[in-house]
Amino acid sequence: MQIQVVTFSEVKDGNAADEWQDGASGGVAGDGTGTARFIVVDGATGAFDAVRWVDQLVTSFVPPPGADHAGPRPPGLEPAAMRAWFARMQDQWAADVPAFDSIIEERKFREVGSFATFLGFEITGLDGPDPFWRAVALGDTVLFHVRAGRLIATFPPMRAGEFGSHPAGLHTLPSSLDEMTDRLLAGGGVLADGDFLFAATDAMADWILRAAERDEAKVFHTLAELAHPDVFARLVEDQRKEQDGAKRMKNDDVTLMRLRMLADQPSFLLACR
Amino acid sequence: MYSRDISRRDPGCVVFLLDRSDSMRQNWGNSRETMAEGAARALNETLLELLFTSQGEPGKARHYFDVGIFGYGLRPVAGGEGVEPAFGGKLAGQPLVALPDLRDNPIAVRETPSVDAGAPPSRVPVWVEPVYGHRTPMCQAVAVAGAHVYEWASAHPDSFPPIIINITDGMVTDSPYEGAGLEEWAQRLVNIQTSDGPALLFNIFLSPAGSANPVMFPATDRGLPAPGPDLFRISSLLPPPMVASAQSAGIPVEPGARGFGFNADAYNLVRFLEVGTKVDVRD
């Protein structure tokens, strides 16, 4: 089975493009197992240098092609491996002390630190009869498993309206390690030809769940057919302006990763710049 | 109402009214601090927390809030009794200060012992110093601050409404002021509004006895001695975001709770200020 992956993103309306604090990446692991792994993270607005924290998490969980393979291996998804990875990420953050230009900056780095919600997942068994996904999550970045236009799994199992301002997540402070370990959620499911996985940060995920309550086939058809970043940008722009508050998408950084499971090669390739 | 997030496009406004009357010289409970010292320390901590919210990227602070502090009682700059902005150093005399300016202009950075045994001293930025003297011209404080709050709200019609927090240990001594009593001045203040609702006036009464029966965010003034009922009456209802904030801080809040604290010790003053200044920031 093949996986066709595309990631869309839009910065919060009113912010500069370089203030996008989400992160997403994915690809086939370079360990010869054929496993593909993916990560979507959402850096918190109130965090210190969330862009750096997000970048550190993404490049560690899914090393970019050409990365130093002598370095630490990406973590497994088992609780003990994830805990060790959390601790390693915190150590790396603390060891890389930036130059501070004020006492406020220094104290925020040391006392508040940085924070991001986290969704990591793997797809394995692509060459076998029952490929499946396994995921771990801290917070409200959500994975949707869709088959034939129907939502068959939501991970973490969130409902519309449950997206608050204080989700769980990956924190740089070592004092939060136990809580992160305790709150880590795990899930999984078997994949079939034609299935979609959508990984979305909170504003998008909340909007998807609310739209799916009204007409799930329509919303997932819309997301499945997104073919260009401009189309995604228009969708987000329109939904942020929606007059009906129950339908409106919250103005926030938005990231949507779409994975399409295909038994055959795609019939065409569209490259967007 | 009270649903807007704070953003750079629609920043918030927090104004503190700080009692600097002579009675603030009293020691606070069992501590070695005077109430003036404790209140100044709590205010400096609250300003630091506000600055933490704005310090996202290295090297710059986001303009999420305009902050004012008006001292009433002793006027250390002009002299005598009255009301004046309480910032020191380069910010002296400024009624409202944007967070990036606040960040760049503390009066001093002082070392204080860390609460963790063996840890190095904590470096604490200071914007407000403790001073005290004279009586308690609270009406004038509300009037002076209100003029600046009115201007601010006119310039930010779609922001979260201004938050005004009055920290006092005494009875108002200038009521009526310019023909209006404290209740009327307070009403004029909360008549100022943005499209997200009326301004919020919170009051916290400090007790030199320290933690003698502190009351936080009550829904009734029953049983409170003077000036509790008067301050309760002029305090705004706690809006939903702050109810949630109080509850997440472990403070029980009943329906109808007001932004009011009575007989607060230093610990409760800090918690009160945390709840009263907690608004979600979005960009």
Side-chain angles (χ1 to χ4, degrees):
Chain A
M1 192 174 291
Q2 309 277 329
I3 310 173
Q4 187 187 58
V5 185
V6 61
T7 301
F8 302 99
S9 65
E10 273 298 303
V11 73
K12 175 176 177 169
D13 183 31
N15 281 13
D18 64 359
E19 292 177 335
W20 181 63
Q21 294 182 325
D22 293 349
S25 184
V28 176
D31 56 6
T33 62
T35 298
R37 61 166 34 207
F38 304 87
I39 181 172
V40 179
V41 286
D42 179 355
T45 300
F48 181 73
D49 205 356
V51 172
R52 179 186 142 204
W53 180 231
V54 160
D55 182 63
Q56 181 186 313
L57 297 172
V58 167
T59 54
S60 174
F61 195 83
V62 182
D68 178 10
H69 291 292
R73 291 170 60 85
L77 303 187
E78 304 74 26
M82 291 306 302
R83 180 185 173 88
W85 183 63
F86 297 160
R88 178 154 60 85
M89 290 296 94
Q90 290 175 336
D91 289 346
Q92 183 179 332
W93 169 269
D96 189 5
V97 181
F100 302 113
D101 81 337
S102 74
I103 183 63
I104 290 96
E105 200 168 293
E106 180 179 348
R107 287 195 56 178
K108 181 156 185 184
F109 175 82
R110 299 194 191 287
E111 297 170 26
V112 180
S114 203
F115 178 85
T117 64
F118 162 70
L119 170 69
F121 57 103
E122 287 184 343
I123 297 175
T124 53
L126 284 168
D127 297 328
D130 294 312
F132 61 96
W133 61 269
R134 290 193 310 145
V136 287
L138 270 170
D140 55 10
T141 295
V142 179
L143 186 68
F144 300 100
H145 184 180
V146 176
R147 179 170 297 160
R150 302 292 304 274
L151 181 60
I152 62 171
T154 303
F155 175 79
M158 297 192 69
R159 290 180 294 191
E162 289 186 337
F163 295 76
S165 300
H166 307 287
L170 281 178
H171 210 297
T172 56
L173 294 182
S175 58
S176 62
L177 182 59
D178 286 344
E179 184 183 354
M180 285 157 48
T181 307
D182 291 344
R183 296 182 73 173
L184 183 71
L185 298 176
V190 176
L191 292 162
D193 179 25
D195 283 3
F196 284 90
L197 294 175
F198 296 98
T201 51
D202 60 337
M204 188 80 203
D206 190 31
W207 177 83
I208 289 172
L209 285 168
R210 284 184 287 122
E213 284 177 352
R214 296 189 299 275
D215 188 344
E216 69 175 347
K218 181 181 176 184
V219 66
F220 290 119
H221 176 75
T222 300
L223 298 180
E225 294 298 310
L226 289 170
H228 193 280
D230 288 349
V231 179
F232 181 74
R234 275 200 300 277
L235 170 74
V236 171
E237 183 182 2
D238 289 347
Q239 297 308 314
R240 284 173 177 164
K241 290 178 181 169
E242 167 63 47
Q243 293 299 308
D244 183 346
K247 297 179 181 176
R248 190 181 308 134
M249 184 185 292
K250 189 178 74 178
N251 184 20
D252 198 356
D253 288 343
V254 168
T255 297
L256 176 70
M257 178 185 282
R258 182 183 69 199
L259 298 88
R260 187 194 305 253
M261 305 300 137
L262 295 168
D264 303 313
Q265 296 281 358
S267 56
F268 64 93
L269 175 68
L270 176 66
C272 304
R273 297 183 61 197
Chain B
M1 289 202 300
Y2 305 114
S3 60
R4 293 279 158 72
D5 293 329
I6 301 292
S7 67
R8 285 169 288 182
R9 186 168 55 190
D10 295 313
C13 177
V14 180
V15 171
F16 301 95
L17 308 181
L18 177 60
D19 188 339
R20 289 176 145 179
S21 64
D22 192 61
S23 57
M24 293 289 282
R25 73 164 64 231
Q26 297 175 84
N27 268 40
W28 207 355
N30 296 324
S31 78
R32 283 179 291 181
E33 281 184 325
T34 63
M35 285 192 287
E37 289 168 337
R41 184 172 50 77
L43 258 182
N44 285 317
E45 285 179 24
T46 302
L47 296 179
L48 182 62
E49 289 291 331
L50 283 173
L51 280 163
F52 279 167
T53 66
S54 77
Q55 188 71 58
E57 303 98 330
K60 65 178 180 181
R62 293 184 175 187
H63 181 184
Y64 286 143
F65 287 96
D66 293 303
V67 180
I69 305 178
F70 294 89
Y72 58 97
L74 174 67
R75 293 189 301 177
V77 176
E81 179 182 300
V83 179
E84 69 180 17
F87 290 117
K90 291 181 180 173
L91 302 178
Q94 294 194 34
L96 292 178
V97 175
L99 280 186
D101 294 332
L102 195 67
R103 167 189 184 270
D104 294 337
N105 293 290
I107 304 168
V109 177
R110 297 187 183 132
E111 289 195 348
T112 61
S114 173
V115 292
D116 300 323
S122 185
R123 297 174 65 218
V124 181
V126 174
W127 291 272
V128 185
E129 297 280 22
V131 296
Y132 47 78
H134 299 282
R135 296 172 299 167
T136 311
M138 198 183 298
C139 290
Q140 188 185 358
V142 174
V144 170
H148 295 287
V149 168
Y150 178 80
E151 278 183 25
W152 185 92
S154 301
H156 302 85
D158 294 322
S159 285
F160 189 92
I163 301 165
I164 302 95
I165 302 179
N166 178 32
I167 303 168
T168 183
D169 79 321
M171 307 273 194
V172 56
T173 56
D174 67 342
S175 182
Y177 172 75
E178 293 186 349
L182 180 62
E183 193 162 345
E184 186 170 342
W185 280 109
Q187 187 58 51
R188 292 178 188 179
L189 188 63
V190 297
N191 282 345
I192 299 168
Q193 54 187 310
T194 68
S195 59
D196 197 33
L200 294 164
L201 173 61
F202 301 150
N203 292 277
I204 183 155
F205 182 82
L206 315 184
S207 164
S211 56
N213 303 317
V215 175
M216 295 278 276
F217 306 115
T220 173
D221 61 356
R222 198 175 306 130
L224 294 179
D230 288 343
L231 292 174
F232 174 86
R233 205 159 37 246
I234 64 171
S235 298
S236 301
L237 285 169
L238 209 57
M242 295 176 190
V243 169
S245 177
Q247 289 169 335
S248 71
I251 304 171
V253 177
E254 294 178 5
R258 299 205 184 195
F260 176 58
F262 192 76
N263 275 352
D265 59 7
Y267 171 72
N268 281 315
L269 174 58
V270 170
R271 293 212 302 170
F272 187 90
L273 295 179
E274 281 177 1
V275 170
T277 56
K278 201 87 166 181
V279 183
D280 280 345
V281 166
R282 275 295 171 207
D283 78 349

